[in-house]
Amino acid sequence: MDHTAHNKIVSFIWTIADDCLRDVFVRGKYRDVILPMFVLRRLDCLLEPTKQAVRDEMLFQTDDAGLTELDPSGLRDASGYVFYNTSEWTLKSLLGNPSQLEANMDAYLNGFSDNVKEIIENFDLRTQVRKMIAADVLFDVIEKYVAEDINLTPHDNRGPDGRVQPGLSNLGMGYVFEELIRKFNEENNEEAGEHFTPREVIKLMTHLLFDPVKDRLPPVLTVYDPACGSGGMLTEAQNFIVDPDGGIQSSADVYIYGKEVNPETFAICKSDMMIKGNNPENIKLGSTLATNDFSAMSFDFMLSNPPYGKSWKTDSKFIKEGKDVLDPRFKIELTGYDGKVETCDATPRSSDGQLLFLMEMVDKMRKLKDSPAGSRIASVHNGSSLFTGDAGGGESNIRRYLIENDMVEAIIQLPNSLFYNTGITTYIWVVTNHKPAHRQGRVQLINASEMYTKRRKNLGEKNCDLGDEHIDTIMELYTGLADEGVAKVFDNDDFGYCKVTVERPLRKMAQFTPERIATLRFTTGLQEIMGWVWERYGEDVYANLKAHREAIEDYIEREEITLTPKNRKALLDPKTWVTQREVMAEAARLMANIGQEKTDDFNAFSAAVDADLKSRKVKLPAAQKNQILNAVSWRDDGAKKVIKKRHKLTGDKLATLLAKLGATQETLQDHGFWATDSADEYIEYESDSDLRDSENVPLKDDIHAYFLREVRPHVDDAWLDISSVKIGYEISFNRYFYQHKPLRDLNEVARDILELEKETDGLLKRLVSLTSEAV
């Protein structure tokens, strides 16, 4: 495609801003006028040949047919497009009556079909028109757009100089439109990254999407972007498919779909679709996460650059209710370590919703039973999508679902500072539900972080470009499934791990003392505030607490003490205080009977407490007994292990436990059951939460073998909690592509230091000399 004429149009329109809008709009707001007026002029040019036919159809419907409401289908047929304008005006004819320009412009805008009115509304064009009228520049702007110096019609014209101006095709119009968007975004680069992806990144994505299947494209195909912004990815994808200049020159009919949450960028995208002859109704306005507008559809190809690091809290009420996931797009089935299939949460943390867009695209994949070719996805993400989130969490579950279902074909790391408003590392995920045989069960990682050309001048954060030669290199690595150097191929299981809890026994000392018993006056979790109340009001809390309620609540508010409604109610309830006094009194009786000797055997101490209560026929609630025991005991590494339970394991009971743990009788100790001298008796110890740890065991490794190799030699009383096992997945480019740089030789460092000393020696002497002279 020859872009010479297109570039002339871009340059001409670019001058309109400086010629007409200077001192009326700030430079960053030129786009708000230039883009919608450009769209209007293009639509105006397309509709001008059928203007009278549309007017005649309108008169027929109202006068002859007697319709009270116009039939859009007849007007569309008359215009020859999916849009029309029923007003008597064109942009050029508006200039014939400058004194009525405002009223006539309003009539002109009102005459458009609803789909164009939606664009006008989301561009907020009427507001810009009022500003231009107030500044007396609307006439000048329209005059520039209708000048004979540029040809925005699809037909050849002669310019003022007599030369032929080639007609502007829909494809050419798309190029001009995208160039204007690009230039405005680069001028205003602090916003650009929100909806503008560098063209070279999109080019690489289209190659990754289409090259592997370019010889097998269906005659009709669909392309979807759930965060389409101004539509750059969609139009580039369409161009790549049908453009004979650099594309794959397919004759397929391409239908593109998208959704965008920002009204202005939605208007840009929808007008771009309309200008190019695509169906503008395929572009939806709103949050992709909140509403599933394309729920009944599936797509052949999908590509996107979703927002990363952006909260989805405002959409969360549509997706989750508490811990329950409402939206089926974000529910997945996974098989647990125990072999059971469970429906799992596929939602990441609320501060970053980028993986939700990926799951939206996965949800829109064509089912293989209906379409054997399946679907292909290319999506740009930052590093958090690769490794953020623990095993069992939303992010890890998403990675696990994609990898275990063999959907991830490749991930390509891009150079830093390739985007306009961020210098962070980004990655392209290539996902498909129809991998070729030679890729099945494997994932290719390509480190293209060093493939770039430095720019002479930064565009915001963008300081490098991805050239055609770099794209060619990446594609050679990708299509050849290279497995050396900057490209490596891994089995799916290489990214998985089992997170298992490692427990150690609790060891406790115990001793009754008056000081420890005194702490029982206050309930657990309310010691500090109850201590303040007791110090201030003393015994009055048992009989007259209500009189002090207001003062206590004032203190809580003044000191900004956070209490749950349950704890606040307990604090202000006399029953709480009376109950704690009874617990304290019971502890005092136990101390009197058992004594105040310190012991390192909590098991014997607890048994003595039980025996004393039984002898006195006191039925103390378990919660109160535990509160007493906790108050008079403490962790100590020198104490004996605390026994949780003694088990008699024989016959079926033993077999069931062994099957559940995946253990043998000889390895029960590694799972927390310790044999005693008594036949068939095993002790289960209380675990110490302070010593609790976890291990990430590679999925290809055996958990028990890993435990014996990596843990047991260092901690001989540890055991595995197999019930805690969760499967997680993460992908670390740094781990796989890290290259160690050896430290410099000490002799070399010493020589450099000595050389520096020599170089600075004379300088220091001169500085001292100058200082002395000044004094």
Side-chain angles (χ1 to χ4, degrees):
M1 184 187 299
D2 182 8
H3 292 308
T4 304
H6 304 148
N7 292 334
K8 286 182 180 178
I9 294 173
V10 171
S11 298
F12 181 87
I13 293 173
W14 193 253
T15 63
I16 296 175
D18 283 333
D19 290 347
C20 302
L21 302 182
R22 190 187 297 272
D23 301 327
V24 179
F25 294 84
V26 297
R27 190 171 185 83
K29 296 295 183 181
Y30 288 174
R31 180 183 64 186
D32 297 348
V33 172
I34 295 302
L35 289 180
M37 290 300 295
F38 176 61
V39 171
L40 275 190
R41 177 53 180 158
R42 173 63 174 185
L43 300 181
D44 192 62
C45 290
L46 295 177
L47 294 175
E48 193 168 6
T50 58
K51 183 72 176 177
Q52 191 56 50
V54 172
R55 294 280 296 169
D56 291 344
E57 173 65 19
M58 181 189 69
L59 292 173
F60 169 77
Q61 290 187 20
T62 54
D63 296 347
D64 297 349
L67 298 179
T68 56
E69 291 187 8
L70 294 175
D71 176 18
S73 62
L75 296 168
R76 287 195 294 265
D77 290 341
S79 75
Y81 297 97
V82 295
F83 54 91
Y84 54 83
N85 189 309
T86 59
S87 77
E88 62 181 292
W89 304 103
T90 65
L91 281 177
K92 188 175 289 186
S93 67
L94 286 173
L95 301 178
N97 191 354
S99 63
Q100 295 297 313
L101 181 58
E102 182 175 3
N104 294 342
M105 182 68 173
D106 191 53
Y108 173 71
L109 295 178
N110 288 335
F112 274 109
S113 52
D114 288 343
N115 48 12
V116 179
K117 285 179 181 175
E118 185 181 21
I119 293 172
I120 291 169
E121 178 183 347
N122 285 290
F123 267 130
D124 198 18
L125 179 58
R126 294 181 189 274
T127 299
Q128 312 309 329
V129 167
R130 287 194 294 270
K131 289 181 180 179
M132 286 188 284
I133 289 171
D136 197 24
V137 297
L138 178 60
F139 185 95
D140 297 332
V141 171
I142 295 175
E143 188 176 44
K144 287 278 189 180
Y145 272 105
V146 301
E148 295 182 357
D149 300 87
I150 59 170
N151 178 20
L152 298 184
T153 75
H155 312 291
D156 291 352
N157 284 337
R158 289 198 178 273
D161 57 2
R163 295 182 180 179
V164 174
Q165 297 174 327
L168 191 60
S169 67
N170 283 341
L171 191 61
M173 180 64 192
Y175 174 84
V176 173
F177 195 60
E178 288 156 21
E179 273 297 295
L180 286 171
I181 294 170
R182 183 183 65 81
K183 288 174 71 71
F184 277 119
N185 283 335
E186 289 176 358
E187 281 280 310
N188 197 27
N189 58 64
E190 62 190 29
E191 297 178 7
E194 294 182 7
H195 53 258
F196 183 61
T197 307
R199 182 167 295 183
E200 68 264 34
V201 175
I202 303 176
K203 184 175 182 179
L204 173 59
M205 294 172 73
T206 56
H207 277 284
L208 291 166
L209 266 187
F210 299 111
D211 277 4
V213 294
K214 62 183 178 183
D215 298 325
R216 304 189 304 277
L217 292 178
V220 177
L221 59 86
T222 53
V223 183
Y224 172 54
D225 182 350
C228 63
S230 54
M233 285 194 175
L234 291 172
T235 53
E236 285 291 330
Q238 185 179 39
N239 292 349
F240 185 78
I241 295 169
V242 303
D243 186 2
D245 182 16
I248 56 180
Q249 305 179 36
S250 171
S251 59
D253 291 330
V254 183
Y255 294 89
I256 52 183
Y257 298 79
K259 192 167 183 183
E260 171 56 30
V261 70
N262 181 279
E264 182 197 9
T265 47
F266 163 76
I268 293 173
C269 182
K270 189 161 184 173
S271 54
D272 189 23
M273 299 302 110
M274 190 175 291
I275 284 168
K276 292 180 177 177
N278 293 305
N279 186 355
E281 300 309 313
N282 292 347
I283 307 301
K284 305 294 184 183
L285 174 65
S287 168
T288 298
L289 305 182
T291 55
N292 192 0
D293 279 335
F294 298 104
S295 58
M297 296 191 67
S298 58
F299 303 97
D300 299 296
F301 299 95
M302 290 167 270
L303 69 172
S304 190
N305 178 16
Y308 22 86
K310 183 177 180 181
S311 170
W312 55 280
K313 285 183 180 178
T314 55
D315 296 320
S316 62
K317 59 181 175 289
F318 303 104
I319 296 173
K320 299 183 75 172
E321 185 175 336
K323 293 185 178 181
D324 296 329
V325 180
L326 306 175
D327 196 318
R329 291 177 293 172
F330 311 119
K331 291 181 182 179
I332 52 179
E333 286 192 345
L334 297 172
T335 303
Y337 182 74
D338 57 3
K340 295 179 180 178
V341 178
E342 296 181 349
T343 300
C344 298
D345 185 341
T347 59
R349 62 198 64 197
S350 60
S351 59
D352 188 356
Q354 59 182 302
L355 281 173
L356 291 175
F357 287 89
L358 183 56
M359 292 306 294
E360 152 71 3
M361 290 187 281
V362 169
D363 178 70
K364 301 297 182 289
M365 281 181 156
R366 293 202 184 281
K367 303 298 184 285
L368 294 179
K369 62 183 178 66
D370 303 322
S371 179
S375 301
R376 292 181 61 78
I377 295 170
S379 187
V380 183
H381 296 269
N382 68 5
S384 70
S385 292
L386 297 173
F387 48 76
T388 300
D390 204 356
E395 295 96 338
S396 179
N397 282 347
I398 292 171
R399 290 190 292 269
R400 182 183 170 196
Y401 177 79
L402 296 176
I403 295 173
E404 288 188 347
N405 284 280
D406 207 15
M407 291 185 182
V408 181
E409 208 170 71
I411 300 175
I412 297 95
Q413 179 177 341
L414 299 175
N416 291 354
S417 302
L418 196 59
F419 286 73
Y420 295 91
N421 71 338
T422 179
I424 64 174
T425 306
T426 51
Y427 304 80
I428 297 176
W429 290 55
V430 183
V431 177
T432 179
N433 59 350
H434 187 231
K435 274 188 183 181
H438 68 287
R439 285 188 177 271
Q440 288 175 11
R442 299 194 284 177
V443 177
Q444 184 185 30
L445 303 184
I446 299 175
N447 179 13
S449 59
E450 300 301 320
M451 298 183 193
Y452 60 85
T453 303
K454 274 286 186 180
R455 296 183 63 89
R456 286 181 296 174
K457 181 182 178 183
N458 284 16
L459 287 172
E461 293 287 332
K462 181 177 174 63
N463 64 12
C464 64
D465 294 317
L466 196 66
D468 287 344
E469 67 277 15
H470 304 126
I471 293 175
D472 291 342
T473 300
I474 293 170
M475 290 307 301
E476 287 176 10
L477 295 169
Y478 169 69
T479 55
L481 194 60
D483 189 15
E484 60 180 347
V486 297
K488 295 184 179 181
V489 179
F490 298 88
D491 293 338
N492 288 345
D493 288 349
D494 288 333
F495 304 111
Y497 63 92
C498 290
K499 182 178 180 180
V500 59
T501 300
V502 178
E503 300 282 15
R504 292 181 63 187
L506 177 66
R507 298 170 183 268
K508 294 180 80 173
M509 303 283 283
Q511 181 185 23
F512 277 114
T513 66
E515 294 79 14
R516 293 192 177 97
I517 290 174
T519 65
L520 292 168
R521 189 183 302 279
F522 314 126
T523 190
T524 305
L526 290 174
Q527 291 93 337
E528 187 175 346
I529 181 62
M530 289 183 79
W532 179 86
V533 174
W534 172 256
E535 183 180 353
R536 187 159 183 127
Y537 302 112
E539 295 288 338
D540 214 20
V541 298
Y542 300 115
N544 198 27
L545 184 62
K546 187 176 180 180
H548 307 296
R549 182 186 184 102
E550 185 175 347
I552 296 170
E553 289 186 329
D554 286 344
Y555 175 80
I556 292 171
E557 296 302 320
R558 187 169 63 254
E559 297 298 318
E560 298 181 350
I561 299 171
T562 302
L563 295 176
T564 64
K566 182 180 178 180
N567 281 347
R568 182 183 289 262
K569 182 180 179 181
L571 171 68
L572 299 172
D573 188 349
K575 291 180 181 178
T576 302
W577 292 87
V578 171
T579 298
Q580 289 306 124
R581 182 175 60 181
E582 292 172 355
V583 171
M584 188 170 60
E586 185 57 51
R589 287 189 285 271
L590 286 167
M591 181 174 66
N593 295 336
I594 295 174
Q596 299 186 41
E597 183 179 352
K598 183 164 68 172
T599 176
D600 66 354
D601 190 345
F602 182 79
N603 305 300
F605 182 84
S606 180
V609 168
D610 289 338
D612 184 75
L613 292 172
K614 185 177 181 180
S615 68
R616 294 187 287 113
K617 298 181 179 180
V618 175
K619 293 184 178 180
L620 193 64
Q624 293 182 9
K625 186 181 82 169
N626 288 336
Q627 189 181 7
I628 293 172
L629 290 174
N630 289 335
V632 297
S633 64
W634 62 96
R635 289 182 64 257
D636 191 294
D637 291 339
K640 294 180 180 179
K641 302 171 186 176
V642 177
I643 297 173
K644 179 179 180 179
K645 190 175 181 181
R646 293 179 181 271
H647 298 269
K648 198 74 172 176
L649 297 175
T650 59
D652 292 343
K653 195 172 184 181
L654 176 61
T656 300
L657 179 63
L658 293 176
K660 179 181 177 182
L661 298 176
T664 64
Q665 196 164 353
E666 291 72 25
T667 62
L668 269 177
Q669 176 178 306
D670 301 330
H671 298 276
F673 294 86
W674 303 73
T676 67
D677 294 335
S678 300
D680 302 324
E681 184 183 62
Y682 291 82
I683 292 175
E684 183 181 2
Y685 292 111
E686 287 283 359
S687 61
D688 188 338
S689 60
D690 288 345
L691 297 178
R692 183 174 295 146
D693 201 355
S694 64
E695 292 286 334
N696 289 346
V697 183
L699 207 56
K700 287 184 172 182
D701 205 343
D702 178 77
I703 292 178
H704 185 247
Y706 178 95
F707 171 77
L708 294 178
R709 185 177 69 247
E710 303 292 340
V711 179
R712 178 52 62 76
H714 309 287
V715 190
D716 61 3
D717 60 358
W719 72 88
L720 291 165
D721 178 7
I722 284 296
S723 66
S724 71
V725 174
K726 292 181 180 178
I727 299 175
Y729 277 76
E730 66 177 19
I731 302 167
S732 173
F733 268 71
N734 288 339
R735 183 192 310 159
Y736 304 132
F737 292 100
Y738 173 75
Q739 291 183 342
H740 174 67
K741 293 182 179 179
L743 296 174
R744 295 172 64 197
D745 183 76
L746 285 177
N747 292 326
E748 183 184 348
V749 173
R751 283 197 301 270
D752 288 346
I753 292 172
L754 292 173
E755 286 296 325
L756 286 172
E757 286 183 351
K758 288 179 182 179
E759 292 175 10
T760 58
D761 184 54
L763 176 62
L764 289 171
K765 287 181 178 179
R766 286 197 298 274
L767 286 173
V768 171
S769 175
L770 289 170
T771 303
S772 301
E773 291 176 4
V775 173

